[in-house]
């Protein structure tokens, strides 16, 4: 009975293209000669540098400090010398202040990293402090500080935790490989999260196109006798979006403008769960992550374990370089990712994939007038009117766009994907969200 509703209304079925890299076991990328660690790798206030040019640092040393509660520190991802603190290309922000470290080739580790005895017995506040100090921010792409998500207000108790193993973006297979190769660490992360939240219901949600990962977790959960349920989700984009996942599994609807905590739920991605385990059980800061490098423009697609701050160029070179017909490089997946103008940009905590796409995989075309076919409305998982919203923003009618729910758009790109007129809804809507937010702040001031 429950299986029938393990999906949501709307959504699309883009070509999955996961076969390019899903069989590729995670490989460690050789250490880069330098890394570029942006101060802004998370939602919230950028961190502040606590090192100076010329300082020597070890892998895992804190190099910038959180500024306020909704912020996290960052750490050196290689050992060596701080060469510069300056503006550098950034995969999301265009350009941002960053700490540049030149490798000494030793990869000398911070002595603070090491196993923590009996970590499951730690006090909840101590666990959260370790997670904050390790610089954790959501690794599924949104990069929201993890300790903030784990600190809901007292009037919003969480009774349901969902581990997000959907990985619904085409091409990306980093989470799939993590689930196959590190399931025990991920499960320990889930146990820690559930202890912090004090919640009883836990779900491990995986799309049905990853039957091997579903089998691995089902076996481990059965053996451990945990109070966890493994659920197989229908394959549909954006099944991994928080609100869609919650609806599919619990049938609870996050209200417009609300958060998962409003319906007693919390969702974390599998990479974040593993990082939670490493922060609490090993005192290991978030200085590396797994990145899928794929697309037909990549000669040998791979899943790579990479130090944060490594330039995209290093990953692409390690994968055999770009084919001549590459027309677009993307940070993230093809639906929600951001096109890049230089390969100097570094891997950040939120970089789940780097895609090199050829002309056969992209739709570069000039937008045409809307033919009112209604397809964008049919597929919108948030029940919005993408065509109307895009037009209102274009004509700067931000008040009306707000009334029609522009802020509820999850920027999934489903509308643009189906649009026969190639209208760039998300481009307009993102701009509309920025303007409406500014307008609301100005009114509140
Ligand atoms: S309007 Fe927003 S939420 Fe709806 S389909 Fe388009 S991008 Fe997705
Ligand atoms: S899908 Fe494109 S053409 Fe069709 S109604 Fe939406 S905006 Fe117009």
């Amino acid at each position: 009975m429950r299986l029938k509703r393990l999906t949501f209304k709307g959504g699309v079925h883009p070509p999955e293209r996961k076969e390019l890299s899903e069989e590729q076991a995670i490989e460690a990328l050789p250490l880069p000669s330098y890394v570029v660690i942006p101060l802004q790798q998370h939602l919230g206030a950028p961190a502040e540098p606590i090192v100076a040019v010329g300082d020597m640092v070890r892998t895992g040393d804190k190099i910038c400090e959180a500024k306020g509660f909704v912020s996290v520190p960052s750490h050196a991802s290689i050992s060596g010398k701080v060469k510069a603190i300056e503006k550098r290309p950034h995969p999301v922000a265009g350009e941002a202040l960053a700490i540049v470290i030149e490798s000494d080739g030793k990869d000398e580790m911070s002595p603070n990293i090491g196993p923590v005895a009996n970590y499951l017995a730690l006090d909840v506040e101590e666990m959260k402090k370790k997670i904050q100090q390790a610089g954790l921010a959501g690794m599924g792409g949104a990069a929201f500080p993890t300790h903030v998500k784990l600190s809901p207000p007292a009037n919003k108790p969480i009774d349901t935790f969902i581990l997000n193993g959907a990985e619904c973006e085409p091409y990306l297979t980093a989470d799939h490989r993590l689930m196959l190769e590190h399931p025990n660490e991920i499960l320990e992360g889930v146990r820690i999260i559930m202890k912090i939240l004090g919640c009883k219901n836990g779900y491990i949600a995986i799309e049905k196109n990853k039957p091997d990962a579903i089998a691995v977790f089902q076996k481990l959960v059965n053996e451990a006798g945990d109070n966890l349920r493994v659920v197989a989700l229908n394959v549909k984009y954006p099944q991994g979006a928080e609100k869609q996942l919650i609806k599919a599994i619990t049938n609870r609807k996050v209200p417009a403008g609300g958060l998962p905590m409003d319906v007693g739920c919390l969702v974390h991605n599998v990479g974040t769960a593993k990082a939670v385990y490493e922060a609490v059980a090993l005192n290991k800061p978030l200085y590396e992550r797994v990145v899928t490098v794929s697309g037909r423009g990549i000669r040998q697609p791979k899943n790579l374990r990479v130090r944060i701050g490594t330039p995209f160029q290093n990953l692409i070179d390690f994968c055999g370089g770009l084919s001549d017909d590459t027309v677009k490089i993307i940070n993230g997946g093809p639906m929600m990712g951001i096109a890049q103008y230089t390969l100097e940009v570094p891997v950040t905590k939120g970089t789940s994939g780097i895609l090199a796409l050829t002309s056969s995989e992209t739709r570069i075309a000039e937008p045409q007038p809307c033919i009112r076919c209604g397809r964008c409305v049919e597929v919108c998982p948030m029940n919005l009117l993408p065509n109307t919203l895009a037009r209102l923003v274009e004509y700067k009618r931000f008040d009306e766009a707000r009334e029609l729910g522009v802020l509820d758009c999850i920027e999934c790109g489903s509308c643009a994907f189906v649009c026969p007129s190639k209208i760039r809804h998300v481009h307009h809507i993102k701009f509309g969200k920025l303007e409406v937010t500014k307008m609301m702040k100005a009114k509140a001031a």
Side-chain angles (χ1 to χ4, degrees):
M1 187 181 73
R2 180 171 280 276
L3 282 176
K4 278 188 192 159
R5 59 169 196 253
L6 289 187
T7 190
F8 61 96
K9 182 187 158 295
V12 291
H13 291 93
E16 292 181 32
R17 306 232 162 96
K18 294 191 185 262
E19 70 284 356
L20 292 174
S21 60
E22 68 191 344
E23 300 293 334
Q24 301 299 318
I26 298 167
E27 283 177 64
L29 181 76
L31 283 185
S33 58
Y34 72 95
V35 290
V36 177
I37 316 260
L39 301 179
Q40 181 84 70
Q41 295 189 61
H42 51 270
L43 287 181
E48 285 185 332
I50 54 170
V51 290
V53 173
D55 286 356
M56 296 300 294
V57 293
R58 295 159 299 194
T59 306
D61 279 348
K62 197 193 284 181
I63 55 172
C64 53
E65 188 54 275
K67 194 178 170 195
F69 181 60
V70 187
S71 181
V72 286
S74 283
H75 303 77
S77 56
I78 54 175
S79 61
K81 186 187 265 187
V82 176
K83 286 300 279 184
I85 301 177
E86 61 190 20
K87 282 196 170 173
R88 289 286 182 118
H90 186 287
V92 177
E95 203 181 53
L97 206 56
I99 299 173
V100 183
I101 302 169
E102 187 180 67
S103 174
D104 60 8
K106 297 179 188 159
D107 200 23
E108 191 187 338
M109 288 285 157
S110 161
N112 300 330
I113 301 172
V116 177
N118 207 9
Y119 55 88
L120 279 175
L122 288 175
D123 172 65
V124 163
E125 289 308 315
E126 243 177 297
M127 287 181 169
K128 283 202 275 191
K129 191 168 174 215
K130 280 182 183 292
I131 290 167
Q132 192 271 344
Q133 283 298 304
L136 265 59
M139 297 171 77
F144 193 76
T146 305
H147 68 282
V148 180
K149 262 178 115 172
L150 291 173
S151 309
N155 63 345
K156 307 262 182 193
I158 306 293
D159 64 26
T160 302
F161 172 69
I162 301 172
L163 178 73
N164 187 355
E167 199 170 46
C168 61
E169 271 267 13
Y171 293 91
L172 302 186
T173 55
D175 285 355
H176 187 180
R177 293 310 311 180
L178 272 178
M179 288 190 282
L180 292 180
E181 297 177 40
H182 297 278
N184 286 307
E185 293 99 312
I186 293 169
L187 264 185
E188 274 303 275
V190 170
R191 290 178 187 121
I192 292 168
I193 291 169
M194 288 181 67
K195 173 167 177 180
I196 291 173
L197 297 171
C199 82
K200 299 273 176 280
N201 305 314
Y203 292 93
I204 295 170
I206 306 172
E207 276 195 345
K208 287 178 184 167
N209 58 1
K210 298 179 257 301
D212 45 3
I214 293 172
V216 164
F217 277 94
Q218 192 62 70
K219 182 168 178 287
L220 287 175
V221 165
N222 289 348
E223 283 169 2
D226 277 316
N227 190 21
L228 289 168
R229 290 172 66 176
V230 180
V231 288
L233 302 159
N234 287 343
V235 179
K236 186 163 66 164
Y237 178 84
Q239 184 63 81
E242 282 188 340
K243 292 177 182 178
Q244 282 60 40
L245 205 51
I246 291 168
K247 180 77 174 78
I249 293 172
T250 68
N251 206 25
R252 299 178 194 171
K253 188 170 184 294
V254 179
L259 292 169
M261 70 167 95
D262 295 322
V263 293
C265 293
L266 191 90
V267 180
H268 271 303
N269 150 278
V270 294
T272 313
K274 177 170 177 283
V276 162
Y277 161 74
E278 291 173 342
V280 174
L282 306 175
N283 269 337
K284 182 182 166 189
L286 183 51
Y287 62 76
E288 60 182 0
R289 65 157 298 146
V290 177
V291 179
T292 299
V293 186
S294 189
R296 298 222 161 94
I298 296 287
R299 293 190 199 278
Q300 298 150 26
K302 291 179 188 293
N303 292 295
L304 299 176
R305 193 168 69 248
V306 181
R307 299 296 170 93
I308 303 290
T310 306
F312 278 22
Q313 183 78 60
N314 292 37
L315 284 79
I316 289 173
D317 289 347
F318 189 71
C319 294
L322 296 175
S323 67
D324 294 340
D325 53 349
T326 301
V327 294
K328 199 173 188 184
I329 305 288
I330 296 177
N331 171 53
M335 301 295 285
M336 293 185 76
I338 297 176
Q340 301 298 308
Y341 67 94
T342 169
L343 296 180
E344 280 176 35
V345 288
V347 167
T348 64
K349 295 173 186 178
T351 305
S352 49
I354 298 173
L355 303 184
L357 303 182
T358 61
S359 52
S360 65
E361 298 168 285
T362 50
R363 299 189 312 161
I364 299 173
E366 274 308 301
Q368 300 299 315
C370 170
I371 58 168
R372 298 186 169 276
C373 65
R375 290 169 70 181
C376 56
V377 180
E378 269 169 43
V379 301
C380 177
M382 297 304 292
N383 290 319
L384 300 172
L385 302 172
N387 49 351
T388 311
L389 287 173
R391 227 177 24 251
L392 287 172
V393 171
E394 223 178 326
Y395 295 130
K396 300 196 170 26
R397 289 159 61 182
F398 300 120
D399 261 326
E400 289 160 84
R402 184 181 56 81
E403 276 163 32
L404 283 185
V406 72
L407 292 181
D408 287 331
C409 169
I410 57 169
E411 300 173 16
C412 67
S414 298
C415 47
F417 177 76
V418 295
C419 178
S421 296
K422 313 285 184 269
I423 290 171
R424 295 170 190 150
H425 305 77
V426 186
H427 168 81
H428 296 300
I429 290 175
K430 275 185 178 175
F431 177 64
K433 285 169 83 171
L434 275 177
E435 289 302 311
V436 168
T437 308
K438 267 196 245 165
M439 215 170 69
M440 287 166 68
K441 276 189 185 153
K443 272 188 193 160

